[in-house]
Amino acid sequence: GLFVHGGLPRAGRANWRPGWVPAWEPGSSEREMLPLEEWIQELERLRSTAMSEYKASLSQEPGSDAWSISGGYLHPQPGCSLNQYCMRDLVDGTQQASVVYNGWLGDDYQ
């Protein structure tokens, strides 16, 4: 099942439907307005890939560059794409629709 702790992103068009997938893999591009079934499949692929990366990393020493410091979809920390999908704020200072978190929980979110 798909659990969403917030709201679904809106594409900003008159005929709203879910369907935004970020460029979370090397060489991929952002996609919008995917049909519901394809969107859910892509989110599941993002989730399962990120969780597999994380699980495989448990036997390794952590890297020196923590995702929580710099963020991003293509960060070297295993599982980072799922973390970034949940966040509103992006590395370059722009914002994306977030289905879970409002931001980095700094003073401006209190």
Side-chain angles (χ1 to χ4, degrees):
L2 175 65
F3 172 77
V4 179
H5 182 276
L8 299 174
R10 292 183 180 257
R13 297 197 170 95
N15 296 327
W16 176 79
R17 62 182 186 192
W20 175 74
V21 176
W24 64 276
E25 296 177 293
S28 68
S29 59
E30 180 178 304
R31 295 181 292 156
E32 294 182 2
M33 304 298 287
L34 294 176
L36 180 60
E37 187 172 320
E38 184 179 351
W39 181 59
I40 291 173
Q41 288 172 353
E42 286 299 307
L43 293 182
E44 173 57 22
R45 193 167 71 80
L46 187 157
R47 183 212 58 85
S48 64
T49 299
M51 294 305 292
S52 293
E53 289 172 359
Y54 175 73
K55 184 178 179 182
S57 77
L58 292 176
S59 62
Q60 303 168 6
E61 290 293 318
S64 60
D65 182 23
W67 178 87
S68 60
I69 301 299
S70 55
Y73 280 106
L74 302 178
H75 190 279
Q77 185 172 335
C80 69
S81 57
L82 186 58
N83 288 341
Q84 186 62 69
Y85 182 75
C86 296
M87 299 298 290
R88 181 195 70 178
D89 299 339
L90 297 171
V91 177
D92 64 3
T94 61
Q95 298 176 345
Q96 66 181 6
S98 171
V99 297
V100 181
Y101 301 114
N102 185 37
W104 285 99
L105 301 179
D107 291 338
D108 54 339
Y109 299 106
Q110 302 286 323

